Amino acid sequence: QVDLVESGGGSVQAGGSLRLSCQGTAGSGYTDSNYCRAWFRQGPGKEREKVAHIYRNGLTYYADFVKGRFTISQNNAKDILYLQMNSLKPEDTATYYCASRVGPVCYESPSEFPNWGQGTQVTVSS
C-alpha cells in the first residue's frame, strides 16, 4: 500500500506562484532506481493530463504547456515530491495529483500509475 499526500494548493492571481508538495510513505518504492513520480492535473470537464515527471536519478520531463514555468523536484531522503509553479495562468486551474509507479518507463497515461494522492486544488484568477 502506497500513500501519497499532496499539499500546497490554493487560489492565486494570474502571474502568481504556488509550490505543491507530495509526501510519500515508507514502502512507496522510492529506493528503486526505476521509481518514477509525476504530477498530473485535471481541469473542469477535462481529462487528467500529465504535467511533469521525475525519475529517482533526477531525469525530468515537462509537458509543453508548463515548460519554463513549472519545476519538478524531489527529496529522495524524505520521500517528498515538489512542483514549483510560477507565472500561473487561469488555464492552470485544476486539481493537481501526484502519482508514482515502479518501472523503466514513466508512461504518459494516468492509467499506468497505480499510486495516487487525493489531489489538491489550484485556482488561478485573471
Side-chain angles (χ1 to χ4, degrees):
Q1 178 66 34
V2 175
D3 292 323
L4 301 173
V5 180
E6 301 100 336
S7 61
S11 297
V12 295
Q13 290 190 328
S17 298
L18 285 173
R19 188 174 84 153
L20 306 182
S21 299
C22 175
Q23 175 70 63
T25 60
S28 59
Y30 66 91
T31 58
D32 191 296
S33 61
N34 287 327
Y35 188 52
C36 169
R37 287 181 278 200
W39 288 99
F40 287 80
R41 71 184 188 186
Q42 188 164 15
K46 297 182 179 180
E47 294 186 351
R48 193 168 297 190
E49 59 185 359
K50 180 183 278 189
V51 174
H53 74 232
I54 186 168
Y55 285 96
R56 178 171 170 77
N57 64 8
L59 186 65
T60 60
Y61 155 85
Y62 295 93
D64 287 343
F65 52 81
V66 302
K67 280 181 180 178
R69 300 188 299 124
F70 291 11
T71 302
I72 190 171
S73 62
Q74 63 190 352
N75 182 323
N76 287 332
K78 296 183 178 180
D79 197 14
I80 302 175
L81 177 70
Y82 301 101
L83 185 68
Q84 177 66 44
M85 305 186 295
N86 298 328
S87 302
L88 282 161
K89 304 175 182 180
E91 51 264 45
D92 294 320
T93 295
T95 301
Y96 284 71
Y97 300 89
C98 66
S100 70
R101 73 181 310 276
V102 176
V105 179
C106 203
Y107 293 101
E108 190 75 12
S109 172
S111 65
E112 297 290 345
F113 285 76
N115 309 310
W116 290 88
Q118 81 288 353
T120 185
Q121 179 65 36
V122 172
T123 303
V124 184
S125 58
S126 57

